[in-house]
Amino acid sequence: MLRKKEKYVVAVVGATGAVGNEMIATLEQREFPVGKLRLFASERSAGKTLEFRSEKLPVEVITESSFKGIDIALFSAGAERSRIWAPVAAQSGCVVIDNSSQWRMDPGVPLVVPEVNPHDLNWHKGIIANPNCSTIQMVVALKPIHDSAKIRRVVVTTFQAVSGTGKKAMEELMQQTADLLSFRGIQCNVYPHQIAFNVLPQIDKFLDNGYTKEEMKMVNETRKIMGDNSIRVTATTVRVPVFRGHSEALNIETERKITANEVRELLSRAPGVIVFDAPEKSVYPLPIHCDGKDEVFVGRIREDESIDNGINMWIVSDNLRKGAALNAVQIAEYLIKE
Ligand SMILES: NC(=O)c1ccc[n+]([C@@H]2O[C@H](COP(=O)([O-])OP(=O)(O)OC[C@H]3O[C@@H](n4cnc5c(N)ncnc54)[C@H](OP(=O)(O)O)[C@@H]3O)[C@@H](O)[C@H]2O)c1
């Protein structure tokens, strides 16, 4: 569907946001063959410019004809914009890689993490979905274990950074921290409670089953990406006062017994994973180490002594990179290679 070219016209929709900014930086850092970069955001940003390869580019407002001549559009402007504009873009002949939740569970849209299910890119019809940030980093680490020992069940608790909510949430954490340290009152605009010096066991809205939307995304998206509906997943997703980098504590039950050493061995050979696991020296992944890095870092790998075939581990990755922008650019790289 994407004609092979030397250089491509690429669009970033939501260019002024946390993910959009990272997409522009990732395209530049990975030397993606961009012939022309078009940047889109809301009317609020009209007149602004953003830098790409030392050049100031204008931010445009989307119209019906915006996508003509664009080869690849990376969307990160929220589900509503993706619902409206992704089909318009696809109709114009451009391939959309969408970061929002809008198309992820649509059976006609592939949901792709290149280290896990690149083959699903072969059947896209113009829109490809990028999974949720907390799901991406988890499946990158789960895939090699599933291939080797077949995962039956995953119990995951996340510790998610505020950048996962976007720019306004980062400003809220910064402002609340400054206000509290200056003995001033705080305002809560983005989250329902104070986020500075606090931990919130709620990410996104609650559903009728008592879980949040974020928790159910981890359940449903994991099965779709891994192509295995038999994997049982249960999640508790928690927002923590960290700017960048999601952490996850996982308990995994497998069909075949697998030792902690085997898991270490498997993951150290897995694409996109770095094992960072020397507990005797207090070496384990931390969000501050993963900031700006591409890989998924895994540590605290140990056998669960309470069940026969169980593994516990700790996973950290930069939610704006592998959890969003990098995964989208990797999909685009795969498309132009194929
Ligand atoms: N943050 C993450 O870690 C992460 C990970 C995976 C997926 N995502 C998804 O990526 C999307 C963006 O997230 P974010 O964290 O980057 O949010 P953000 O920082 O709040 O940025 C939102 C972007 O959308 C643009 N936008 C808003 N309304 C628009 C409109 N009517 N027309 C065109 N553009 C509009 C904004 O433009 P203005 O600046 O002009 O308002 C801004 O560029 C969301 O769907 C989110 O679920 C985020």
Short mmCIF file of all heavy atoms in Angstrom, two decimals, residues 146-195:
data_model
loop_
_atom_site.label_atom_id
_atom_site.label_comp_id
_atom_site.label_asym_id
_atom_site.label_seq_id
_atom_site.Cartn_x
_atom_site.Cartn_y
_atom_site.Cartn_z
N HIS A 146 6.60 -16.42 26.48
CA HIS A 146 5.43 -17.13 25.94
C HIS A 146 5.86 -18.15 24.89
O HIS A 146 5.39 -19.28 24.88
CB HIS A 146 4.46 -16.11 25.34
CG HIS A 146 3.13 -16.70 24.97
ND1 HIS A 146 2.36 -17.43 25.86
CD2 HIS A 146 2.42 -16.68 23.79
CE1 HIS A 146 1.25 -17.81 25.26
NE2 HIS A 146 1.27 -17.38 24.01
N ASP A 147 6.77 -17.74 24.01
CA ASP A 147 7.23 -18.65 22.96
C ASP A 147 7.92 -19.88 23.55
O ASP A 147 7.86 -20.96 22.99
CB ASP A 147 8.23 -17.93 22.03
CG ASP A 147 7.52 -16.93 21.12
OD1 ASP A 147 6.28 -16.97 21.04
OD2 ASP A 147 8.22 -16.10 20.51
N SER A 148 8.57 -19.69 24.70
CA SER A 148 9.35 -20.80 25.27
C SER A 148 8.54 -21.66 26.24
O SER A 148 8.67 -22.88 26.25
CB SER A 148 10.57 -20.22 25.98
OG SER A 148 11.19 -21.19 26.74
N ALA A 149 7.69 -21.03 27.06
CA ALA A 149 7.05 -21.80 28.14
C ALA A 149 5.53 -21.65 28.18
O ALA A 149 4.89 -22.20 29.05
CB ALA A 149 7.65 -21.35 29.48
N LYS A 150 4.95 -20.94 27.27
CA LYS A 150 3.50 -20.65 27.16
C LYS A 150 2.94 -20.05 28.45
O LYS A 150 2.83 -20.73 29.48
CB LYS A 150 2.71 -21.91 26.75
CG LYS A 150 1.28 -21.55 26.37
CD LYS A 150 0.64 -22.64 25.54
CE LYS A 150 -0.78 -22.43 25.13
NZ LYS A 150 -1.38 -21.17 25.07
N ILE A 151 2.63 -18.80 28.34
CA ILE A 151 2.10 -18.08 29.51
C ILE A 151 0.61 -18.39 29.68
O ILE A 151 -0.16 -18.33 28.72
CB ILE A 151 2.32 -16.56 29.35
CG1 ILE A 151 3.81 -16.26 29.39
CG2 ILE A 151 1.56 -15.78 30.42
CD1 ILE A 151 4.19 -14.83 29.04
N ARG A 152 0.25 -18.75 30.91
CA ARG A 152 -1.17 -19.00 31.22
C ARG A 152 -1.83 -17.75 31.77
O ARG A 152 -2.94 -17.42 31.47
CB ARG A 152 -1.27 -20.07 32.31
CG ARG A 152 -1.13 -21.45 31.83
CD ARG A 152 -1.62 -22.37 32.95
NE ARG A 152 -1.28 -23.73 32.68
CZ ARG A 152 -0.80 -24.56 33.57
NH1 ARG A 152 -0.58 -24.17 34.81
NH2 ARG A 152 -0.53 -25.80 33.24
N ARG A 153 -1.10 -17.07 32.68
CA ARG A 153 -1.73 -15.96 33.39
C ARG A 153 -0.69 -14.91 33.78
O ARG A 153 0.45 -15.26 34.10
CB ARG A 153 -2.40 -16.50 34.66
CG ARG A 153 -3.12 -15.47 35.49
CD ARG A 153 -3.97 -16.13 36.55
NE ARG A 153 -4.77 -15.13 37.26
CZ ARG A 153 -4.58 -14.79 38.53
NH1 ARG A 153 -3.64 -15.37 39.24
NH2 ARG A 153 -5.34 -13.86 39.09
N VAL A 154 -1.09 -13.65 33.71
CA VAL A 154 -0.22 -12.55 34.12
C VAL A 154 -0.98 -11.68 35.12
O VAL A 154 -2.12 -11.29 34.87
CB VAL A 154 0.17 -11.66 32.91
CG1 VAL A 154 1.06 -10.51 33.35
CG2 VAL A 154 0.84 -12.47 31.81
N VAL A 155 -0.33 -11.39 36.25
CA VAL A 155 -0.90 -10.44 37.21
C VAL A 155 0.06 -9.25 37.21
O VAL A 155 1.24 -9.40 37.51
CB VAL A 155 -0.97 -11.05 38.64
CG1 VAL A 155 -1.59 -10.04 39.61
CG2 VAL A 155 -1.75 -12.35 38.63
N VAL A 156 -0.44 -8.09 36.80
CA VAL A 156 0.46 -6.93 36.66
C VAL A 156 -0.05 -5.74 37.47
O VAL A 156 -1.25 -5.47 37.52
CB VAL A 156 0.66 -6.56 35.16
CG1 VAL A 156 -0.66 -6.32 34.45
CG2 VAL A 156 1.56 -5.34 35.00
N THR A 157 0.90 -5.07 38.12
CA THR A 157 0.61 -3.79 38.77
C THR A 157 1.55 -2.77 38.15
O THR A 157 2.75 -3.01 38.04
CB THR A 157 0.88 -3.86 40.29
OG1 THR A 157 0.09 -4.93 40.82
CG2 THR A 157 0.49 -2.57 40.99
N THR A 158 0.99 -1.63 37.71
CA THR A 158 1.84 -0.63 37.05
C THR A 158 2.06 0.57 37.96
O THR A 158 1.29 0.84 38.88
CB THR A 158 1.18 -0.12 35.75
OG1 THR A 158 0.01 0.63 36.10
CG2 THR A 158 0.81 -1.25 34.82
N PHE A 159 3.15 1.28 37.67
CA PHE A 159 3.51 2.52 38.38
C PHE A 159 3.81 3.52 37.27
O PHE A 159 4.93 3.57 36.77
CB PHE A 159 4.74 2.29 39.26
CG PHE A 159 4.59 1.12 40.21
CD1 PHE A 159 4.71 -0.18 39.75
CD2 PHE A 159 4.33 1.33 41.54
CE1 PHE A 159 4.56 -1.26 40.60
CE2 PHE A 159 4.18 0.26 42.41
CZ PHE A 159 4.29 -1.04 41.95
N GLN A 160 2.79 4.26 36.82
CA GLN A 160 2.89 4.99 35.56
C GLN A 160 3.16 6.47 35.75
O GLN A 160 2.56 7.14 36.59
CB GLN A 160 1.60 4.77 34.75
CG GLN A 160 1.44 3.30 34.35
CD GLN A 160 0.20 3.02 33.50
OE1 GLN A 160 -0.48 2.05 33.75
NE2 GLN A 160 -0.07 3.83 32.51
N ALA A 161 4.07 6.97 34.88
CA ALA A 161 4.50 8.37 34.93
C ALA A 161 3.39 9.30 34.43
O ALA A 161 2.53 8.90 33.63
CB ALA A 161 5.73 8.53 34.04
N VAL A 162 3.45 10.56 34.86
CA VAL A 162 2.42 11.53 34.48
C VAL A 162 2.49 11.91 32.99
O VAL A 162 1.49 12.32 32.42
CB VAL A 162 2.48 12.81 35.34
CG1 VAL A 162 2.13 12.51 36.79
CG2 VAL A 162 3.84 13.49 35.25
N SER A 163 3.67 11.74 32.35
CA SER A 163 3.75 12.07 30.92
C SER A 163 2.83 11.17 30.10
O SER A 163 2.49 11.51 28.97
CB SER A 163 5.19 11.97 30.41
OG SER A 163 5.71 10.71 30.70
N GLY A 164 2.41 10.05 30.67
CA GLY A 164 1.44 9.18 30.01
C GLY A 164 0.10 9.87 29.81
O GLY A 164 -0.70 9.47 28.96
N THR A 165 -0.16 10.92 30.59
CA THR A 165 -1.42 11.66 30.44
C THR A 165 -1.25 12.86 29.51
O THR A 165 -2.23 13.47 29.09
CB THR A 165 -1.91 12.17 31.82
OG1 THR A 165 -1.72 11.14 32.79
CG2 THR A 165 -3.38 12.54 31.81
N GLY A 166 0.00 13.23 29.21
CA GLY A 166 0.25 14.36 28.32
C GLY A 166 0.88 15.54 29.01
O GLY A 166 1.21 15.50 30.20
N LYS A 167 1.04 16.61 28.23
CA LYS A 167 1.80 17.78 28.70
C LYS A 167 1.19 18.45 29.92
O LYS A 167 1.89 18.87 30.83
CB LYS A 167 1.90 18.80 27.56
CG LYS A 167 3.13 18.59 26.72
CD LYS A 167 3.40 19.79 25.85
CE LYS A 167 4.80 19.67 25.25
NZ LYS A 167 4.98 20.57 24.11
N LYS A 168 -0.15 18.55 29.93
CA LYS A 168 -0.81 19.26 31.04
C LYS A 168 -0.56 18.56 32.37
O LYS A 168 -0.44 19.19 33.41
CB LYS A 168 -2.31 19.38 30.78
CG LYS A 168 -2.66 20.33 29.66
CD LYS A 168 -4.07 20.87 29.81
CE LYS A 168 -4.33 21.93 28.77
NZ LYS A 168 -5.03 21.43 27.59
N ALA A 169 -0.49 17.23 32.33
CA ALA A 169 -0.27 16.47 33.56
C ALA A 169 1.15 16.68 34.08
O ALA A 169 1.39 16.75 35.29
CB ALA A 169 -0.51 14.98 33.29
N MET A 170 2.11 16.83 33.15
CA MET A 170 3.50 17.09 33.57
C MET A 170 3.56 18.45 34.26
O MET A 170 4.22 18.62 35.29
CB MET A 170 4.44 17.02 32.37
CG MET A 170 4.48 15.63 31.76
SD MET A 170 5.29 15.58 30.15
CE MET A 170 6.99 15.43 30.61
N GLU A 171 2.84 19.43 33.68
CA GLU A 171 2.83 20.77 34.28
C GLU A 171 2.16 20.73 35.65
O GLU A 171 2.61 21.39 36.59
CB GLU A 171 2.06 21.74 33.36
CG GLU A 171 2.88 22.17 32.14
CD GLU A 171 2.02 22.64 30.96
OE1 GLU A 171 0.84 22.99 31.18
OE2 GLU A 171 2.55 22.66 29.85
N GLU A 172 1.11 19.90 35.78
CA GLU A 172 0.40 19.81 37.07
C GLU A 172 1.31 19.24 38.17
O GLU A 172 1.34 19.75 39.28
CB GLU A 172 -0.87 18.96 36.92
CG GLU A 172 -1.68 18.86 38.21
CD GLU A 172 -3.17 18.69 37.96
OE1 GLU A 172 -3.73 19.48 37.18
OE2 GLU A 172 -3.77 17.77 38.52
N LEU A 173 2.08 18.20 37.84
CA LEU A 173 2.99 17.63 38.85
C LEU A 173 4.05 18.66 39.25
O LEU A 173 4.37 18.82 40.43
CB LEU A 173 3.65 16.34 38.31
CG LEU A 173 4.75 15.75 39.20
CD1 LEU A 173 4.24 15.44 40.62
CD2 LEU A 173 5.33 14.47 38.58
N MET A 174 4.56 19.37 38.23
CA MET A 174 5.60 20.37 38.50
C MET A 174 5.04 21.48 39.41
O MET A 174 5.63 21.84 40.41
CB MET A 174 6.05 20.97 37.17
CG MET A 174 7.41 21.57 37.20
SD MET A 174 8.44 21.00 35.85
CE MET A 174 7.45 21.06 34.42
N GLN A 175 3.86 21.98 39.04
CA GLN A 175 3.25 23.09 39.77
C GLN A 175 2.89 22.68 41.20
O GLN A 175 3.17 23.41 42.16
CB GLN A 175 1.99 23.56 39.01
CG GLN A 175 1.40 24.87 39.51
CD GLN A 175 2.40 26.03 39.43
OE1 GLN A 175 2.99 26.25 38.38
NE2 GLN A 175 2.61 26.73 40.54
N GLN A 176 2.28 21.50 41.36
CA GLN A 176 1.88 21.05 42.70
C GLN A 176 3.11 20.85 43.59
O GLN A 176 3.09 21.19 44.78
CB GLN A 176 1.10 19.74 42.62
CG GLN A 176 -0.32 19.90 42.12
CD GLN A 176 -1.10 18.59 42.15
OE1 GLN A 176 -0.58 17.54 42.53
NE2 GLN A 176 -2.35 18.66 41.73
N THR A 177 4.18 20.30 43.01
CA THR A 177 5.41 20.08 43.79
C THR A 177 5.96 21.42 44.26
O THR A 177 6.29 21.59 45.45
CB THR A 177 6.46 19.32 42.93
OG1 THR A 177 5.85 18.15 42.43
CG2 THR A 177 7.68 18.96 43.74
N ALA A 178 6.03 22.39 43.34
CA ALA A 178 6.56 23.73 43.69
C ALA A 178 5.66 24.37 44.75
O ALA A 178 6.15 24.94 45.74
CB ALA A 178 6.64 24.60 42.44
N ASP A 179 4.34 24.27 44.58
CA ASP A 179 3.40 24.89 45.53
C ASP A 179 3.53 24.27 46.92
O ASP A 179 3.58 24.97 47.92
CB ASP A 179 1.96 24.76 45.02
CG ASP A 179 1.68 25.70 43.85
OD1 ASP A 179 2.45 26.68 43.67
OD2 ASP A 179 0.71 25.47 43.11
N LEU A 180 3.60 22.93 46.96
CA LEU A 180 3.66 22.27 48.27
C LEU A 180 4.97 22.58 48.98
O LEU A 180 4.99 22.80 50.20
CB LEU A 180 3.48 20.76 48.10
CG LEU A 180 2.04 20.35 47.75
CD1 LEU A 180 1.98 18.92 47.24
CD2 LEU A 180 1.11 20.50 48.96
N LEU A 181 6.07 22.64 48.23
CA LEU A 181 7.37 22.95 48.85
C LEU A 181 7.44 24.42 49.28
O LEU A 181 8.30 24.79 50.08
CB LEU A 181 8.52 22.60 47.89
CG LEU A 181 8.71 21.10 47.64
CD1 LEU A 181 9.80 20.86 46.60
CD2 LEU A 181 9.04 20.35 48.92
N SER A 182 6.55 25.25 48.74
CA SER A 182 6.51 26.67 49.13
C SER A 182 5.35 26.95 50.09
O SER A 182 4.95 28.10 50.27
CB SER A 182 6.36 27.55 47.89
OG SER A 182 7.29 27.20 46.92
N PHE A 183 4.77 25.87 50.63
CA PHE A 183 3.66 25.98 51.60
C PHE A 183 2.47 26.75 51.02
O PHE A 183 1.82 27.52 51.71
CB PHE A 183 4.14 26.62 52.92
CG PHE A 183 5.30 25.86 53.52
CD1 PHE A 183 6.60 26.32 53.37
CD2 PHE A 183 5.09 24.67 54.18
CE1 PHE A 183 7.68 25.61 53.88
CE2 PHE A 183 6.16 23.94 54.70
CZ PHE A 183 7.45 24.41 54.54
N ARG A 184 2.22 26.56 49.69
CA ARG A 184 1.05 27.19 49.08
C ARG A 184 -0.01 26.11 48.83
O ARG A 184 0.30 24.92 48.82
CB ARG A 184 1.42 27.80 47.70
CG ARG A 184 2.30 29.03 47.78
CD ARG A 184 2.37 29.72 46.42
NE ARG A 184 3.00 28.93 45.40
CZ ARG A 184 4.30 29.07 45.03
NH1 ARG A 184 5.05 29.99 45.61
NH2 ARG A 184 4.82 28.31 44.10
N GLY A 185 -1.24 26.54 48.59
CA GLY A 185 -2.32 25.60 48.26
C GLY A 185 -2.12 25.07 46.84
O GLY A 185 -1.42 25.69 46.04
N ILE A 186 -2.71 23.92 46.56
CA ILE A 186 -2.54 23.34 45.22
C ILE A 186 -3.87 23.29 44.47
O ILE A 186 -4.94 23.36 45.07
CB ILE A 186 -1.96 21.91 45.27
CG1 ILE A 186 -2.88 21.00 46.11
CG2 ILE A 186 -0.55 21.89 45.77
CD1 ILE A 186 -2.92 19.59 45.60
N GLN A 187 -3.76 23.15 43.13
CA GLN A 187 -4.95 22.96 42.30
C GLN A 187 -4.85 21.61 41.60
O GLN A 187 -3.78 21.22 41.15
CB GLN A 187 -5.00 24.04 41.23
CG GLN A 187 -5.48 25.36 41.78
CD GLN A 187 -5.86 26.33 40.68
OE1 GLN A 187 -5.54 26.11 39.51
NE2 GLN A 187 -6.53 27.39 41.06
N CYS A 188 -6.00 20.90 41.53
CA CYS A 188 -6.04 19.63 40.80
C CYS A 188 -6.93 19.82 39.57
O CYS A 188 -8.15 19.92 39.70
CB CYS A 188 -6.65 18.53 41.66
SG CYS A 188 -5.74 18.23 43.18
N ASN A 189 -6.32 19.91 38.40
CA ASN A 189 -7.10 20.10 37.17
C ASN A 189 -7.13 18.83 36.31
O ASN A 189 -8.13 18.51 35.72
CB ASN A 189 -6.52 21.25 36.34
CG ASN A 189 -6.58 22.56 37.11
OD1 ASN A 189 -7.59 22.86 37.74
ND2 ASN A 189 -5.50 23.32 37.08
N VAL A 190 -6.01 18.12 36.27
CA VAL A 190 -5.91 16.95 35.38
C VAL A 190 -6.37 15.68 36.10
O VAL A 190 -7.15 14.90 35.57
CB VAL A 190 -4.46 16.79 34.87
CG1 VAL A 190 -4.33 15.53 34.01
CG2 VAL A 190 -4.03 18.02 34.07
N TYR A 191 -5.86 15.47 37.32
CA TYR A 191 -6.19 14.25 38.07
C TYR A 191 -7.24 14.57 39.15
O TYR A 191 -7.33 15.71 39.61
CB TYR A 191 -4.92 13.69 38.74
CG TYR A 191 -3.88 13.26 37.73
CD1 TYR A 191 -2.63 13.88 37.67
CD2 TYR A 191 -4.14 12.23 36.83
CE1 TYR A 191 -1.68 13.49 36.74
CE2 TYR A 191 -3.19 11.84 35.89
CZ TYR A 191 -1.97 12.46 35.85
OH TYR A 191 -1.04 12.06 34.92
N PRO A 192 -8.01 13.56 39.59
CA PRO A 192 -9.05 13.83 40.59
C PRO A 192 -8.48 14.13 41.99
O PRO A 192 -9.21 14.61 42.86
CB PRO A 192 -9.87 12.53 40.61
CG PRO A 192 -9.00 11.48 40.03
CD PRO A 192 -8.05 12.16 39.09
N HIS A 193 -7.20 13.81 42.21
CA HIS A 193 -6.56 14.06 43.51
C HIS A 193 -5.17 14.64 43.28
O HIS A 193 -4.65 14.60 42.17
CB HIS A 193 -6.40 12.75 44.30
CG HIS A 193 -7.68 12.02 44.51
ND1 HIS A 193 -8.59 12.37 45.48
CD2 HIS A 193 -8.20 10.95 43.85
CE1 HIS A 193 -9.63 11.54 45.41
NE2 HIS A 193 -9.41 10.67 44.44
N GLN A 194 -4.58 15.12 44.38
CA GLN A 194 -3.19 15.60 44.34
C GLN A 194 -2.29 14.47 43.82
O GLN A 194 -2.37 13.34 44.29
CB GLN A 194 -2.79 15.99 45.77
CG GLN A 194 -1.34 16.34 45.95
CD GLN A 194 -1.03 16.57 47.42
OE1 GLN A 194 -1.83 17.13 48.16
NE2 GLN A 194 0.15 16.14 47.86
N ILE A 195 -1.42 14.78 42.85
CA ILE A 195 -0.48 13.76 42.34
C ILE A 195 0.91 13.93 42.96
O ILE A 195 1.61 12.95 43.18
CB ILE A 195 -0.44 13.74 40.78
CG1 ILE A 195 0.53 12.64 40.27
CG2 ILE A 195 -0.06 15.09 40.18
CD1 ILE A 195 0.12 11.24 40.56
#
